[in-house]
Amino acid sequence: MRGGSILTGGLPDSVTVGGVQIPVETDYRLGLLTGALAEDPDLREGDRMALLLRLYCRKIPEGVDPEELTLAILDFYAMDPERKRPAQSGGKREPVYDFETDGDRIFASFRLAYGIDLTEVRMHWWKFMILLFSLPEDTPFMQAVRLRTMDLTEVQDDGLRRKLRQARGAVRIRKQRHGHEKGEDRIWQTEV
């Protein structure tokens, strides 16, 4: 973030490519759509890139490399506009949240915790994500995340472990891709 905090530096509304500052759309719905585009098995990379550019940029200045601009948009999506993100570790982890699977939980959690009706507001992507991971632990979304990340081997009581395993199964992220469940092969997995 510019200035290190949204309170002092504000929320970005542009990306920089080759020294050129390019305004981008910032509404949280585009962030949700970006994740869906990343997971669409029927999209070719070139089509995916073209869609991202069309969604985020009203006008692309002449001479700007579309691939670099796409990377800058993905860094904006990852809330890392200065590309400070460390390299991903080689191990694959199960995603702990999914905007499609958790959509109702997220909606209910924002309504309960903040009084925000996500169907009626425009909100900056970064603000949405900051609020999402600042939700109280007793909200439906955070309860699902907690179940998905809980280490059941640490639970000594067999009955409780069985109940927790059943509860985890109820909030499991299930996605279908060409007749089989997906998870590990998602392009941009969302992990905490």
Side-chain angles (χ1 to χ4, degrees), residues 102-114 116 118 139-141:
D102 292 318
D104 291 348
R105 287 182 195 96
I106 293 169
F107 172 82
S109 296
F110 268 68
R111 191 77 168 147
L112 288 167
Y114 308 126
I116 296 172
L118 288 172
T139 58
F141 174 70

Side-chain angles (χ1 to χ4, degrees), residues 107-152:
F107 172 82
S109 296
F110 268 68
R111 191 77 168 147
L112 288 167
Y114 308 126
I116 296 172
D117 183 337
L118 288 172
T119 65
E120 296 180 357
V121 298
R122 281 188 57 84
M123 185 183 306
H124 192 285
W125 171 244
W126 288 23
K127 182 178 178 183
F128 171 80
M129 291 300 288
I130 291 166
L131 290 173
L132 180 68
F133 287 104
S134 298
L135 284 166
E137 287 186 25
D138 64 343
T139 58
F141 174 70
M142 292 308 284
Q143 288 175 346
V145 169
R146 187 175 62 241
L147 276 170
R148 291 174 188 144
T149 58
M150 186 179 291
D151 183 357
L152 296 181

Side-chain angles (χ1 to χ4, degrees), residues 67-82:
E67 288 185 31
E68 280 296 311
L69 180 54
T70 302
L71 289 174
I73 289 169
L74 292 176
D75 287 335
F76 174 86
Y77 169 77
M79 298 175 61
D80 189 20
E82 296 172 14

Side-chain angles (χ1 to χ4, degrees), residues 3-184:
S5 165
I6 66 169
L7 298 177
T8 57
L11 294 166
D13 58 3
S14 64
V15 295
T16 304
V17 177
V20 177
Q21 202 168 14
I22 303 161
V24 292
E25 295 294 324
T26 63
D27 189 61
Y28 82 94
R29 290 170 185 87
L30 288 181
L32 301 178
L33 190 53
T34 298
L37 289 174
E39 296 176 2
D40 190 331
D42 299 324
L43 277 178
R44 295 179 317 198
E45 279 308 309
D47 294 337
R48 192 180 328 271
M49 182 174 78
L51 280 169
L52 284 173
L53 293 176
R54 196 166 48 220
L55 287 170
Y56 280 90
C57 302
R58 291 183 184 189
K59 184 175 190 247
I60 301 171
E62 205 169 304
V64 171
D65 179 5
E67 288 185 31
E68 280 296 311
L69 180 54
T70 302
L71 289 174
I73 289 169
L74 292 176
D75 287 335
F76 174 86
Y77 169 77
M79 298 175 61
D80 189 20
E82 296 172 14
R83 299 181 186 186
K84 295 178 184 173
R85 187 173 359 139
Q88 293 283 335
S89 63
K92 293 182 180 180
R93 292 183 278 162
E94 285 291 316
V96 298
Y97 69 97
D98 177 87
F99 293 125
E100 186 177 329
T101 301
D102 292 318
D104 291 348
R105 287 182 195 96
I106 293 169
F107 172 82
S109 296
F110 268 68
R111 191 77 168 147
L112 288 167
Y114 308 126
I116 296 172
D117 183 337
L118 288 172
T119 65
E120 296 180 357
V121 298
R122 281 188 57 84
M123 185 183 306
H124 192 285
W125 171 244
W126 288 23
K127 182 178 178 183
F128 171 80
M129 291 300 288
I130 291 166
L131 290 173
L132 180 68
F133 287 104
S134 298
L135 284 166
E137 287 186 25
D138 64 343
T139 58
F141 174 70
M142 292 308 284
Q143 288 175 346
V145 169
R146 187 175 62 241
L147 276 170
R148 291 174 188 144
T149 58
M150 186 179 291
D151 183 357
L152 296 181
T153 63
E154 294 180 3
V155 178
Q156 300 299 315
D157 182 278
D158 289 339
L160 177 58
R161 187 172 43 251
R162 190 173 27 261
K163 286 180 184 179
L164 289 170
R165 201 172 276 124
Q166 288 174 337
R168 179 184 278 177
V171 298
R172 185 167 165 237
I173 296 171
R174 293 178 179 91
K175 297 268 190 161
Q176 296 295 319
R177 176 184 281 171
H178 299 296
H180 66 279
E181 282 192 24
K182 69 178 181 172
E184 290 186 8

